[in-house]
Amino acid sequence: MQALKRLELTLTGNPGPAQAAKAGTRPGGRSARVRTDVVAATLSELTEKGYDQLTVDAICHRAGVHKATVYRRWGGVDGLIADALALSADQPWPIPDTGSVDEDIQLLAREVYDTFTDPDLRTTPTALIGAALRSDLGASALSAFFTARHRQAAEVVTRAVAHGQLPAHVDPVELVRAATAPLYHRLFITGEPLDERAAHRAAAAALLAARAGLFDATTP
Amino acid sequence: MQALKRLELTLTGNPGPAQAAKAGTRPGGRSARVRTDVVAATLSELTEKGYDQLTVDAICHRAGVHKATVYRRWGGVDGLIADALALSADQPWPIPDTGSVDEDIQLLAREVYDTFTDPDLRTTPTALIGAALRSDLGASALSAFFTARHRQAAEVVTRAVAHGQLPAHVDPVELVRAATAPLYHRLFITGEPLDERAAHRAAAAALLAARAGLFDATTP
DNA sequence: CAACTAACGCGACCTGGCTCGCATTAGTAT
DNA sequence: ATACTAATGCGAGCCAGGTCGCGTTAGTTG
């Protein structure tokens, strides 16, 4: 989840070339600059003021861009959130590789815990995910974001299967999801605080279930 | 979760007396009628048109109440959603009691699955929970709702512990939560569809973890 | 370098969510 | 019954969010 924070830094730091360009469009310097500036401004405003106080005017003022431009390209606040998530999903992600699956999975859950309990790190991802849940467009982007994230992290499991540390037919994505899902559930559905035990428990339970054959991809 | 549907039926069916009255206020007939009418209208509008098309005007028109009344008592759409959830949390809930914890927990997860896959049942709870995630006020109400729900369902576990079907120190609420959380996670965070396997898997994994001592309330 | 045009800047305008002050209705008390 | 007062009804009005048409800027092409 720390990539969300890194995204903000990246965007505010250097403009850089366009990440993705559509066909027939103009990928040149200005459009790309506007995009990064606006998305960065969105994340900053979101982090500082929260979703409820988030206003397109403030974003435009901070990014030095006109209101109509934002509404034309993004359609509104929800589009901005979705785009921010889309950019985050493209970011590369460090995956633990300690040699032990158990440790790797624990570290995966642990990273989520660390991110969302650190007062400095938590603000942006918390606000961003919370904001994404507030619209259908954002929810779709969030779904895509997690799909990409889980796909990346699943490497931990496939590696372990290859090394014989886990049963052959275990579904990698399902295991990763099981190890982190309880944390997100607490954070955004039931609104309970996160503690270290919850992170450890989630990872341990996921591994237990995997070894019991509950995540077998083959059996219906 | 079916209580959410039942709530709608109850409210649209009969006005009934006031459920809860604050001190110093006027619990009499009209205020209570207005409350049930407005909340019922909110759920109906939410179910039919979805959150994005939800407008206070439409709710007022349907409930036969003036706009200012709604804004005064509920403050806005988020307050209406929160109140609807508060009423739902008060509803009594049927808890499975088959004699076997494993079956009971499976049924708990199964009920969630059934509710959110049945086209008739799913609409209202889906829209209501989705709407609750769209505001801080709604999120708080949702948190309270799940707390109440889990507390009720935890009886299944305490019963099992008393009968020696589960280790003595297992945290009842934690087990219930683990058995249903993955389903809500799929529905509202990652946006994946629900299948029968996911429900079965969630329940089985939760029981497995409980028996492995992961949900022990005593150990830090 | 010159023509072309996608994308942006600008400001007026409009829609609708939300508020405010006062009149009216209907529970509540004596 | 009568007086009292929450709570609602009512409509005017405010203002932020969002739109539209046109002029301007700046990539892109030849």
Side-chain angles (χ1 to χ4, degrees), chain A residues 66-167:
Chain A
H66 197 271
K67 200 170 45 165
T69 300
V70 171
Y71 280 111
R72 268 193 288 255
R73 285 188 53 171
W74 287 277
V77 180
D78 50 347
L80 288 168
I81 303 293
D83 198 26
L85 276 170
L87 283 178
S88 304
D90 291 340
Q91 299 280 327
W93 219 296
I95 302 297
D97 185 6
T98 63
S100 154
V101 218
D102 293 71
E103 267 190 61
D104 287 350
I105 294 290
Q106 286 286 350
L107 284 174
L108 236 46
R110 180 71 196 206
E111 194 207 341
V112 176
Y113 167 79
D114 287 338
T115 303
F116 285 99
T117 47
D118 186 314
D120 289 332
L121 293 177
R122 68 182 299 180
T123 45
T124 302
T126 303
L128 183 53
I129 296 180
L133 292 173
R134 279 172 161 78
S135 75
D136 290 336
L137 197 67
S140 307
L142 190 64
S143 175
F145 171 82
F146 276 115
T147 300
R149 171 65 176 136
H150 290 154
R151 201 195 313 274
Q152 286 183 33
E155 190 197 324
V156 166
V157 181
T158 54
R159 208 162 45 203
V161 170
H163 289 45
Q165 295 185 10
L166 283 176

Side-chain angles (χ1 to χ4, degrees), chain A residues 51-52 129-130 133-137 139 142-144 146-147 150 171 173-174 177 180-182 184-186 188-192 197-198 200-201 204-205 208-209 212-220, chain B residues 51-52 129-130 133-137 139 142-144 146-147 150 171 173-174 177 180-182 184-186 188-192 197-198 200-201 204-205 208-209 212-220:
Chain A
Y51 182 83
D52 291 336
I129 296 180
L133 292 173
R134 279 172 161 78
S135 75
D136 290 336
L137 197 67
L142 190 64
S143 175
F146 276 115
T147 300
H150 290 154
D171 183 336
V173 171
E174 199 60 36
R177 189 157 38 193
T180 53
Y184 290 106
H185 182 262
R186 286 173 85 112
F188 297 102
I189 305 271
T190 65
E192 295 161 287
R197 271 198 74 194
H200 175 77
R201 206 151 50 184
L208 210 61
L214 287 176
F215 296 152
D216 273 15
T218 52
T219 59
Chain B
Y51 182 82
D52 290 334
I129 296 180
L133 292 173
R134 280 171 161 79
S135 76
D136 289 337
L137 196 68
L142 190 63
S143 175
F146 276 115
T147 299
H150 290 155
D171 183 335
V173 170
E174 200 60 37
R177 191 159 34 193
T180 52
Y184 290 107
H185 183 262
R186 288 174 83 112
F188 296 103
I189 305 272
T190 63
E192 295 161 287
R197 272 198 74 193
H200 175 75
R201 207 151 50 184
L208 210 60
L214 288 176
F215 297 152
D216 272 15
T218 52
T219 61

